[in-house]
Amino acid sequence: MRSKGGKTIRLNPVDEDHQVTDHPARANLEALMDQKLFAQRIRSERSAAYWFAASLWGVSGLVLGAILGAYMMFMAMDSALPLASEAVTRGIAVENARNSVDNRDPILSDPARPQPQP
């Protein structure tokens, strides 16, 4: 007890044994929340797995496409080289033949064409 100016105030100690009573459906609510968290975790893991698979297939397809494209370009170039070489050789032969004919003395004299000086 404590007195203050003639008036007595009684203070009672706080009850330490006060128990909080739980709601009867608390276990069901916790189980429901656990199920929701578990389902959310499964969705998250599934999403991560899908993204991993998609990126793996995407990168694999990109690498495989690049390799296949390079191989096909090499094969096309390899098969086109003989044709290109033959065309260049024919062009050189035609040019050499044209130069040979142009530098030859004409059989008939053409008055419009100047004669080379010996």
Side-chain angles (χ1 to χ4, degrees):
M1 261 180 28
R2 196 161 119 208
S3 70
K4 183 177 184 189
K7 186 173 180 183
T8 304
I9 300 174
R10 286 190 174 193
L11 295 176
N12 294 329
V14 177
D15 188 11
E16 295 290 333
D17 293 336
H18 180 70
Q19 291 186 357
V20 177
T21 57
D22 258 349
H23 193 274
R26 183 169 179 85
N28 291 338
L29 290 174
E30 285 184 7
L32 185 62
M33 289 301 291
D34 286 345
Q35 286 177 351
K36 286 183 179 180
L37 287 174
F38 186 65
Q40 182 180 4
R41 181 68 178 190
I42 287 175
R43 279 194 304 271
S44 172
E45 292 291 329
R46 187 179 298 150
S47 175
Y50 288 155
W51 275 106
F52 174 74
S55 62
L56 184 67
W57 276 104
V59 170
S60 299
L62 186 67
V63 169
L64 187 64
I67 290 171
L68 189 62
Y71 176 72
M72 294 303 275
M73 285 180 63
F74 173 75
M75 292 304 292
M77 183 186 69
D78 192 37
S79 65
L81 275 179
L83 296 174
S85 176
E86 185 179 337
V88 169
T89 305
R90 281 185 184 176
I92 292 172
V94 167
E95 184 66 27
N96 288 340
R98 184 177 295 127
N99 288 338
S100 172
V101 169
D102 286 345
N103 291 335
R104 196 177 299 156
D105 287 334
I107 297 174
L108 299 174
S109 63
D110 186 10
R113 186 174 174 190
Q115 298 295 324
Q117 299 297 327

